[in-house]
């Protein structure tokens, strides 16, 4: 575990790849606007895992942007996640989330899938602001690693209840990540 200068547990991992990721995201034209293809992938991830929320998330040095988003209400707004949509909107919840919130920054740095059936079982993750502020209790995500070897972002699903994702959930999210990366490559090559 990493601790900061004051001896506090660092909840957000250090991300040395961020500048190169930002350059690559700009090159691809990702990370600053919603995309219907990514919304569809978020929907597929949620449907395949029976999770209420799905996201395709691109991360820069300071923030996360949900280029793809699925919510139960179908509004494509993360504000549905909170019991108080007005309070969530006031916190800036929607398609943008600060880099120090959530679990996708961990997936990016780890460069491998992360399965949290109950985030409260893990001290490092239980203290994340999304647990109390938004109500996230379980998370399943995989990195989107492109042909240049850069972890561009994640595809993930979350629930407000603990979830036994199991091996099937892990294999599903990893498969969707691979499929989405291939689609990104085809788009970059002009094949779609």
């Amino acid at each position: 575990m990493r601790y900061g200068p004051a001896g506090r547990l660092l909840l957000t991992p250090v991300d040395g790849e961020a500048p190169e990721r930002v350059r690559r995201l700009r090159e691809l034209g990702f990370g600053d606007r919603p995309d219907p293809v990514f919304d569809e992938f978020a929907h597929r991830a949620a449907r395949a895992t029976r999770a209420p929320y799905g996201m395709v998330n691109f991360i820069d040095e300071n923030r996360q942007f949900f280029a793809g988003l699925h919510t139960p209400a179908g509004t494509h707004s993360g504000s549905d996640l909170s019991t108080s949509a007005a309070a969530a909107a006031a916190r800036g919840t929607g398609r943008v989330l600060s880099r120090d919130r959530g679990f996708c920054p961990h997936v990016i740095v780890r460069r491998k899938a992360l399965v949290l059936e109950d985030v409260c079982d893990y001290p490092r993750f239980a203290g994340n602001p999304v647990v109390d502020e938004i109500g996230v209790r379980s998370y399943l995500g995989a990195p989107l690693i492109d042909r240049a070897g850069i972890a561009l972002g994640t595809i993930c699903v979350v629930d407000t209840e603990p979830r036994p994702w199991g091996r099937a959930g892990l294999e599903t999210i990893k498969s969707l990540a691979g499929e989405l990366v291939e689609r990104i490559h085809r788009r970059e090559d002009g094949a779609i």
Side-chain angles (χ1 to χ4, degrees):
M1 291 191 177
R2 288 193 168 137
Y3 293 87
R8 295 188 64 206
L9 181 64
L10 291 177
L11 297 179
T12 305
V14 176
D15 181 5
E17 191 177 70
E20 189 169 348
R21 177 180 318 104
V22 169
R23 181 198 57 75
R24 183 74 171 126
L25 289 171
R26 284 188 188 130
E27 185 178 286
L28 292 168
F30 298 156
D32 61 354
R33 66 183 181 279
D35 186 308
V37 170
F38 297 145
D39 280 340
E40 176 56 29
F41 263 88
H43 175 75
R44 285 180 54 205
R47 187 177 61 229
T49 59
R50 297 184 194 153
Y53 303 92
M55 290 150 273
V56 173
N57 185 10
F58 296 113
I59 301 173
D60 66 23
E61 293 108 328
N62 302 308
R63 70 182 183 119
Q64 305 172 67
F65 181 76
F66 302 112
L69 182 62
H70 168 80
T71 67
T75 62
H76 297 298
S77 171
S79 62
D80 309 9
L81 192 53
S82 174
T83 54
S84 169
R91 285 191 304 275
T93 308
R95 286 200 184 245
V96 176
L97 190 63
S98 171
R99 196 179 171 287
D100 66 346
R101 285 167 162 54
F103 310 109
C104 292
H106 294 272
V107 172
I108 289 292
V109 171
R110 291 166 36 109
R111 301 177 63 83
K112 61 183 183 177
L114 178 62
V115 179
L116 300 171
E117 293 183 341
D118 185 343
V119 298
C120 294
D121 289 343
Y122 304 89
R124 173 178 208 105
F125 300 114
N128 195 288
V130 299
V131 176
D132 292 330
E133 292 176 4
I134 302 176
V136 174
R137 278 299 294 275
S138 58
Y139 172 91
L140 175 65
L144 302 172
I145 301 174
D146 78 347
R147 62 174 66 140
I150 298 171
L152 301 172
T154 66
I155 185 166
C156 67
V157 293
V158 300
D159 200 337
T160 57
E161 300 292 329
R163 291 286 303 269
W165 302 112
R167 179 162 291 289
L170 176 62
E171 294 305 319
T172 297
I173 204 73
K174 288 168 58 175
S175 175
L176 285 166
E179 187 180 335
L180 184 52
V181 167
E182 286 304 313
R183 181 152 185 123
I184 289 169
H185 291 160
R186 286 194 311 272
R187 183 187 283 187
E188 181 180 25
D189 294 342
I192 51 175

